[in-house]
Amino acid sequence: MTFELPHNSPLTKPGFIYGVATAAFQIEGANTADGRCESIWDRFCATPDKVHNGDDGAIACDHYHRLEQDLDLIQSLGMDAYRFSVAWPRIEPAPDQWNEAGFEFYERLIDGLIARGIKPYLTLYHWDLPQYLEDKGGWINRETAYRFVRYAEKITERFGNKVVSYCTFNEPLCTAFVGYRWGIHAPGYADHKLGYQAAHHVLLAHGLALPYMRKNAPEAEHGIVLNFTPAYPHEDTAADLEAVEYSDDADGFWFLHPLMTAEYPSRVVQQDAVFMPVILPGDMEIIARPIDFLGINYYSRRVVKANAQGLPEQVHNEHPKTDIGWEIYPDGLTHLTQKITRCYARLPPLLITENGAADNTEPENGEINDTMRVNYYQQHLLAVHNAIESGVDIRGYFAWSLMDNFEWAYGYSMRFGIVYVDYQNQQRTLKRSGQSWQQFLQHRTTR
Ligand code: FCB
């Protein structure tokens, strides 16, 4: 089983980048090794009833101790690139203490990738804030944005142009809204106002860091990764169509619009006026500094209808879902990237930085036949093909994830890997989907 694309598809051109993605907290384990400090996710995991089964990141995939083997695995898949994140708690375990052992771990990772011919795509922040910063208010505190700038400066100073692509933040929506507004992720606050304020400070930190990153790594590309769950109307009525626009503006466009236009989406600003953040003069211009790429994480869509106030209300349907309950809707990826392209004249090239499926198929006679995931990738690759054919500028695609890992509030109960991880003995086994990727990448330019 492999993936099929139309003859001569832009996805078969040698310049199109294929990669796999992971994040530090989800795979590394070794949470006290090399002087690493506590992160908000360690704290959250230790808080009763926050994470499924009381799971934590203490061991995870033990990637920290299995680095070389895991890099070999990425190479064996034939991937061009690896998207990983750096754990800030390893780099700055106490305010202004820069930890050499932490730098060395990521140096080995980056050098190991380069030695294997794999391009490093580095994410600075994938949700694991040092707990000592949270103790001072975390992303609600404007000071955290300035602390992030120092951290971004140190990382880019150390790794410079060795890293081809730097991303400031992975999914600010999850950091700010899921973490501070809805309370499902660390640090677990459920307050609209805190959510909007955290969102503003994350975006501000992104914009503030960019000039330092560019100075230290002038040849690398610098950008940000946003997640989107695009809305579709329940019925083709004016009210439902307006609910769709509202839903998109309150979701990924809450973050994209200011990055592109230096303004927050007006319909949500009006509706949620009482929750709006403190914005200092000049902030919006800093947020809208040019970026070299926009990363898109796409998994699913939502269907909405207008409620009595005209606001979106999710409508559930019987369409096929992945094991985490997210509807499989490949066209959503095509439509979303088309909409973004239509909306913003100054849009940089796009990368699909995450896409994948929770498919919890277990091994049978040593084989993992995750056919749902194989089909998911097949359909979404076609969706990317269709987007590019219609004029959208997409330069690469990263599968989430290299291997099964700690799926945040779901703990280890959801498996997103193309490689199976047996958490008892840390054995890695290529799933059917992993084999499909391997075969596809071996033959891609001859299609
Ligand atoms: C995204 C996250 C990633 C992973 C996938 C399934 O929101 O960026 O870490 O958990 O979802």
PDB file of all heavy atoms in Angstrom, residues 212-234:
ATOM      1  N   TYR A 212      15.336  39.489  16.225  1.00  0.00           N
ATOM      2  CA  TYR A 212      16.504  38.829  16.825  1.00  0.00           C
ATOM      3  C   TYR A 212      16.796  37.511  16.118  1.00  0.00           C
ATOM      4  O   TYR A 212      17.941  37.143  15.890  1.00  0.00           O
ATOM      5  CB  TYR A 212      16.251  38.575  18.320  1.00  0.00           C
ATOM      6  CG  TYR A 212      16.080  39.852  19.095  1.00  0.00           C
ATOM      7  CD1 TYR A 212      14.817  40.398  19.312  1.00  0.00           C
ATOM      8  CD2 TYR A 212      17.190  40.525  19.592  1.00  0.00           C
ATOM      9  CE1 TYR A 212      14.661  41.575  20.015  1.00  0.00           C
ATOM     10  CE2 TYR A 212      17.045  41.709  20.298  1.00  0.00           C
ATOM     11  CZ  TYR A 212      15.778  42.229  20.504  1.00  0.00           C
ATOM     12  OH  TYR A 212      15.634  43.403  21.193  1.00  0.00           O
ATOM     13  N   MET A 213      15.748  36.803  15.784  1.00  0.00           N
ATOM     14  CA  MET A 213      15.911  35.524  15.100  1.00  0.00           C
ATOM     15  C   MET A 213      16.518  35.741  13.710  1.00  0.00           C
ATOM     16  O   MET A 213      17.422  35.022  13.289  1.00  0.00           O
ATOM     17  CB  MET A 213      14.557  34.811  14.998  1.00  0.00           C
ATOM     18  CG  MET A 213      13.978  34.458  16.370  1.00  0.00           C
ATOM     19  SD  MET A 213      12.227  34.020  16.318  1.00  0.00           S
ATOM     20  CE  MET A 213      12.286  32.484  15.399  1.00  0.00           C
ATOM     21  N   ARG A 214      16.033  36.767  13.044  1.00  0.00           N
ATOM     22  CA  ARG A 214      16.560  37.074  11.700  1.00  0.00           C
ATOM     23  C   ARG A 214      18.023  37.479  11.748  1.00  0.00           C
ATOM     24  O   ARG A 214      18.815  37.106  10.891  1.00  0.00           O
ATOM     25  CB  ARG A 214      15.761  38.212  11.070  1.00  0.00           C
ATOM     26  CG  ARG A 214      14.375  37.815  10.664  1.00  0.00           C
ATOM     27  CD  ARG A 214      13.776  38.884   9.753  1.00  0.00           C
ATOM     28  NE  ARG A 214      12.374  38.614   9.510  1.00  0.00           N
ATOM     29  CZ  ARG A 214      11.916  37.643   8.729  1.00  0.00           C
ATOM     30  NH1 ARG A 214      12.761  36.853   8.099  1.00  0.00           N
ATOM     31  NH2 ARG A 214      10.612  37.457   8.574  1.00  0.00           N
ATOM     32  N   LYS A 215      18.368  38.230  12.772  1.00  0.00           N
ATOM     33  CA  LYS A 215      19.758  38.686  12.902  1.00  0.00           C
ATOM     34  C   LYS A 215      20.676  37.484  13.130  1.00  0.00           C
ATOM     35  O   LYS A 215      21.731  37.370  12.522  1.00  0.00           O
ATOM     36  CB  LYS A 215      19.856  39.666  14.069  1.00  0.00           C
ATOM     37  CG  LYS A 215      21.249  40.187  14.315  1.00  0.00           C
ATOM     38  CD  LYS A 215      21.245  41.238  15.425  1.00  0.00           C
ATOM     39  CE  LYS A 215      22.594  41.297  16.108  1.00  0.00           C
ATOM     40  NZ  LYS A 215      22.781  40.282  17.156  1.00  0.00           N
ATOM     41  N   ASN A 216      20.255  36.553  13.984  1.00  0.00           N
ATOM     42  CA  ASN A 216      21.104  35.409  14.327  1.00  0.00           C
ATOM     43  C   ASN A 216      21.094  34.310  13.268  1.00  0.00           C
ATOM     44  O   ASN A 216      22.035  33.519  13.205  1.00  0.00           O
ATOM     45  CB  ASN A 216      20.673  34.809  15.661  1.00  0.00           C
ATOM     46  CG  ASN A 216      21.023  35.709  16.823  1.00  0.00           C
ATOM     47  OD1 ASN A 216      21.933  36.536  16.712  1.00  0.00           O
ATOM     48  ND2 ASN A 216      20.318  35.570  17.927  1.00  0.00           N
ATOM     49  N   ALA A 217      20.041  34.221  12.507  1.00  0.00           N
ATOM     50  CA  ALA A 217      19.941  33.170  11.485  1.00  0.00           C
ATOM     51  C   ALA A 217      19.395  33.780  10.195  1.00  0.00           C
ATOM     52  O   ALA A 217      18.263  33.509   9.803  1.00  0.00           O
ATOM     53  CB  ALA A 217      19.050  32.041  11.975  1.00  0.00           C
ATOM     54  N   PRO A 218      20.209  34.609   9.535  1.00  0.00           N
ATOM     55  CA  PRO A 218      19.707  35.363   8.381  1.00  0.00           C
ATOM     56  C   PRO A 218      19.314  34.485   7.186  1.00  0.00           C
ATOM     57  O   PRO A 218      18.499  34.902   6.372  1.00  0.00           O
ATOM     58  CB  PRO A 218      20.872  36.298   8.019  1.00  0.00           C
ATOM     59  CG  PRO A 218      22.075  35.723   8.687  1.00  0.00           C
ATOM     60  CD  PRO A 218      21.596  34.968   9.877  1.00  0.00           C
ATOM     61  N   GLU A 219      19.893  33.291   7.116  1.00  0.00           N
ATOM     62  CA  GLU A 219      19.556  32.447   5.961  1.00  0.00           C
ATOM     63  C   GLU A 219      18.371  31.526   6.225  1.00  0.00           C
ATOM     64  O   GLU A 219      17.835  30.916   5.302  1.00  0.00           O
ATOM     65  CB  GLU A 219      20.760  31.598   5.557  1.00  0.00           C
ATOM     66  CG  GLU A 219      21.805  32.412   4.814  1.00  0.00           C
ATOM     67  CD  GLU A 219      23.173  31.763   4.865  1.00  0.00           C
ATOM     68  OE1 GLU A 219      23.246  30.517   4.855  1.00  0.00           O
ATOM     69  OE2 GLU A 219      24.165  32.520   4.946  1.00  0.00           O
ATOM     70  N   ALA A 220      17.997  31.403   7.477  1.00  0.00           N
ATOM     71  CA  ALA A 220      16.866  30.521   7.807  1.00  0.00           C
ATOM     72  C   ALA A 220      15.561  31.243   7.506  1.00  0.00           C
ATOM     73  O   ALA A 220      15.533  32.468   7.365  1.00  0.00           O
ATOM     74  CB  ALA A 220      16.920  30.155   9.284  1.00  0.00           C
ATOM     75  N   GLU A 221      14.477  30.470   7.407  1.00  0.00           N
ATOM     76  CA  GLU A 221      13.171  31.118   7.303  1.00  0.00           C
ATOM     77  C   GLU A 221      12.513  31.141   8.680  1.00  0.00           C
ATOM     78  O   GLU A 221      12.735  30.253   9.511  1.00  0.00           O
ATOM     79  CB  GLU A 221      12.290  30.425   6.266  1.00  0.00           C
ATOM     80  CG  GLU A 221      12.152  28.937   6.448  1.00  0.00           C
ATOM     81  CD  GLU A 221      11.270  28.335   5.367  1.00  0.00           C
ATOM     82  OE1 GLU A 221      11.468  28.690   4.181  1.00  0.00           O
ATOM     83  OE2 GLU A 221      10.397  27.527   5.726  1.00  0.00           O
ATOM     84  N   HIS A 222      11.725  32.188   8.902  1.00  0.00           N
ATOM     85  CA  HIS A 222      11.134  32.403  10.221  1.00  0.00           C
ATOM     86  C   HIS A 222       9.629  32.590  10.083  1.00  0.00           C
ATOM     87  O   HIS A 222       9.178  33.382   9.255  1.00  0.00           O
ATOM     88  CB  HIS A 222      11.769  33.631  10.876  1.00  0.00           C
ATOM     89  CG  HIS A 222      13.258  33.531  10.983  1.00  0.00           C
ATOM     90  ND1 HIS A 222      13.875  32.870  12.021  1.00  0.00           N
ATOM     91  CD2 HIS A 222      14.257  33.933  10.149  1.00  0.00           C
ATOM     92  CE1 HIS A 222      15.192  32.902  11.845  1.00  0.00           C
ATOM     93  NE2 HIS A 222      15.451  33.543  10.711  1.00  0.00           N
ATOM     94  N   GLY A 223       8.895  31.868  10.895  1.00  0.00           N
ATOM     95  CA  GLY A 223       7.434  31.964  10.784  1.00  0.00           C
ATOM     96  C   GLY A 223       6.740  31.441  12.017  1.00  0.00           C
ATOM     97  O   GLY A 223       7.330  31.339  13.102  1.00  0.00           O
ATOM     98  N   ILE A 224       5.486  31.106  11.849  1.00  0.00           N
ATOM     99  CA  ILE A 224       4.647  30.670  12.961  1.00  0.00           C
ATOM    100  C   ILE A 224       3.709  29.571  12.456  1.00  0.00           C
ATOM    101  O   ILE A 224       3.437  29.496  11.246  1.00  0.00           O
ATOM    102  CB  ILE A 224       3.858  31.875  13.545  1.00  0.00           C
ATOM    103  CG1 ILE A 224       3.149  31.523  14.861  1.00  0.00           C
ATOM    104  CG2 ILE A 224       2.874  32.442  12.515  1.00  0.00           C
ATOM    105  CD1 ILE A 224       2.634  32.755  15.614  1.00  0.00           C
ATOM    106  N   VAL A 225       3.227  28.757  13.363  1.00  0.00           N
ATOM    107  CA  VAL A 225       2.313  27.667  12.995  1.00  0.00           C
ATOM    108  C   VAL A 225       0.967  27.889  13.682  1.00  0.00           C
ATOM    109  O   VAL A 225       0.904  28.039  14.905  1.00  0.00           O
ATOM    110  CB  VAL A 225       2.910  26.298  13.420  1.00  0.00           C
ATOM    111  CG1 VAL A 225       1.851  25.200  13.354  1.00  0.00           C
ATOM    112  CG2 VAL A 225       4.109  25.942  12.544  1.00  0.00           C
ATOM    113  N   LEU A 226      -0.099  27.921  12.897  1.00  0.00           N
ATOM    114  CA  LEU A 226      -1.452  28.101  13.437  1.00  0.00           C
ATOM    115  C   LEU A 226      -2.297  26.866  13.149  1.00  0.00           C
ATOM    116  O   LEU A 226      -2.080  26.184  12.147  1.00  0.00           O
ATOM    117  CB  LEU A 226      -2.128  29.316  12.792  1.00  0.00           C
ATOM    118  CG  LEU A 226      -1.417  30.669  12.908  1.00  0.00           C
ATOM    119  CD1 LEU A 226      -2.253  31.752  12.231  1.00  0.00           C
ATOM    120  CD2 LEU A 226      -1.158  31.036  14.360  1.00  0.00           C
ATOM    121  N   ASN A 227      -3.245  26.606  14.018  1.00  0.00           N
ATOM    122  CA  ASN A 227      -4.182  25.509  13.749  1.00  0.00           C
ATOM    123  C   ASN A 227      -5.556  26.058  13.375  1.00  0.00           C
ATOM    124  O   ASN A 227      -5.956  27.122  13.854  1.00  0.00           O
ATOM    125  CB  ASN A 227      -4.292  24.563  14.948  1.00  0.00           C
ATOM    126  CG  ASN A 227      -4.730  25.251  16.227  1.00  0.00           C
ATOM    127  OD1 ASN A 227      -4.184  26.275  16.600  1.00  0.00           O
ATOM    128  ND2 ASN A 227      -5.716  24.681  16.902  1.00  0.00           N
ATOM    129  N   PHE A 228      -6.217  25.332  12.530  1.00  0.00           N
ATOM    130  CA  PHE A 228      -7.539  25.745  12.034  1.00  0.00           C
ATOM    131  C   PHE A 228      -8.497  24.558  12.044  1.00  0.00           C
ATOM    132  O   PHE A 228      -8.126  23.458  11.645  1.00  0.00           O
ATOM    133  CB  PHE A 228      -7.440  26.236  10.579  1.00  0.00           C
ATOM    134  CG  PHE A 228      -6.618  27.477  10.398  1.00  0.00           C
ATOM    135  CD1 PHE A 228      -5.239  27.399  10.250  1.00  0.00           C
ATOM    136  CD2 PHE A 228      -7.211  28.735  10.353  1.00  0.00           C
ATOM    137  CE1 PHE A 228      -4.469  28.547  10.068  1.00  0.00           C
ATOM    138  CE2 PHE A 228      -6.464  29.885  10.177  1.00  0.00           C
ATOM    139  CZ  PHE A 228      -5.085  29.796  10.034  1.00  0.00           C
ATOM    140  N   THR A 229      -9.716  24.837  12.475  1.00  0.00           N
ATOM    141  CA  THR A 229     -10.803  23.873  12.309  1.00  0.00           C
ATOM    142  C   THR A 229     -11.895  24.623  11.554  1.00  0.00           C
ATOM    143  O   THR A 229     -12.792  25.214  12.168  1.00  0.00           O
ATOM    144  CB  THR A 229     -11.316  23.394  13.692  1.00  0.00           C
ATOM    145  OG1 THR A 229     -10.190  22.937  14.467  1.00  0.00           O
ATOM    146  CG2 THR A 229     -12.306  22.248  13.548  1.00  0.00           C
ATOM    147  N   PRO A 230     -11.797  24.679  10.227  1.00  0.00           N
ATOM    148  CA  PRO A 230     -12.708  25.535   9.455  1.00  0.00           C
ATOM    149  C   PRO A 230     -14.165  25.109   9.605  1.00  0.00           C
ATOM    150  O   PRO A 230     -14.469  23.922   9.727  1.00  0.00           O
ATOM    151  CB  PRO A 230     -12.228  25.372   8.016  1.00  0.00           C
ATOM    152  CG  PRO A 230     -11.406  24.132   8.000  1.00  0.00           C
ATOM    153  CD  PRO A 230     -10.844  23.965   9.376  1.00  0.00           C
ATOM    154  N   ALA A 231     -15.051  26.114   9.602  1.00  0.00           N
ATOM    155  CA  ALA A 231     -16.473  25.851   9.797  1.00  0.00           C
ATOM    156  C   ALA A 231     -17.201  25.705   8.458  1.00  0.00           C
ATOM    157  O   ALA A 231     -16.818  26.295   7.450  1.00  0.00           O
ATOM    158  CB  ALA A 231     -17.095  26.984  10.602  1.00  0.00           C
ATOM    159  N   TYR A 232     -18.272  24.910   8.502  1.00  0.00           N
ATOM    160  CA  TYR A 232     -19.164  24.708   7.349  1.00  0.00           C
ATOM    161  C   TYR A 232     -20.586  24.910   7.834  1.00  0.00           C
ATOM    162  O   TYR A 232     -20.895  24.585   8.985  1.00  0.00           O
ATOM    163  CB  TYR A 232     -18.985  23.286   6.788  1.00  0.00           C
ATOM    164  CG  TYR A 232     -17.706  23.148   6.009  1.00  0.00           C
ATOM    165  CD1 TYR A 232     -16.489  23.042   6.677  1.00  0.00           C
ATOM    166  CD2 TYR A 232     -17.705  23.188   4.616  1.00  0.00           C
ATOM    167  CE1 TYR A 232     -15.300  22.969   5.975  1.00  0.00           C
ATOM    168  CE2 TYR A 232     -16.516  23.116   3.913  1.00  0.00           C
ATOM    169  CZ  TYR A 232     -15.320  23.012   4.589  1.00  0.00           C
ATOM    170  OH  TYR A 232     -14.145  22.956   3.899  1.00  0.00           O
ATOM    171  N   PRO A 233     -21.450  25.433   6.971  1.00  0.00           N
ATOM    172  CA  PRO A 233     -22.825  25.702   7.414  1.00  0.00           C
ATOM    173  C   PRO A 233     -23.662  24.427   7.519  1.00  0.00           C
ATOM    174  O   PRO A 233     -23.555  23.537   6.673  1.00  0.00           O
ATOM    175  CB  PRO A 233     -23.372  26.606   6.314  1.00  0.00           C
ATOM    176  CG  PRO A 233     -22.578  26.247   5.099  1.00  0.00           C
ATOM    177  CD  PRO A 233     -21.217  25.828   5.572  1.00  0.00           C
ATOM    178  N   HIS A 234     -24.471  24.367   8.566  1.00  0.00           N
ATOM    179  CA  HIS A 234     -25.413  23.258   8.705  1.00  0.00           C
ATOM    180  C   HIS A 234     -26.429  23.324   7.571  1.00  0.00           C
ATOM    181  O   HIS A 234     -26.739  22.331   6.911  1.00  0.00           O
ATOM    182  CB  HIS A 234     -26.093  23.387  10.065  1.00  0.00           C
ATOM    183  CG  HIS A 234     -27.169  22.393  10.315  1.00  0.00           C
ATOM    184  ND1 HIS A 234     -26.955  21.037  10.218  1.00  0.00           N
ATOM    185  CD2 HIS A 234     -28.461  22.554  10.674  1.00  0.00           C
ATOM    186  CE1 HIS A 234     -28.079  20.398  10.490  1.00  0.00           C
ATOM    187  NE2 HIS A 234     -29.008  21.298  10.762  1.00  0.00           N
TER     188      HIS A 234
END
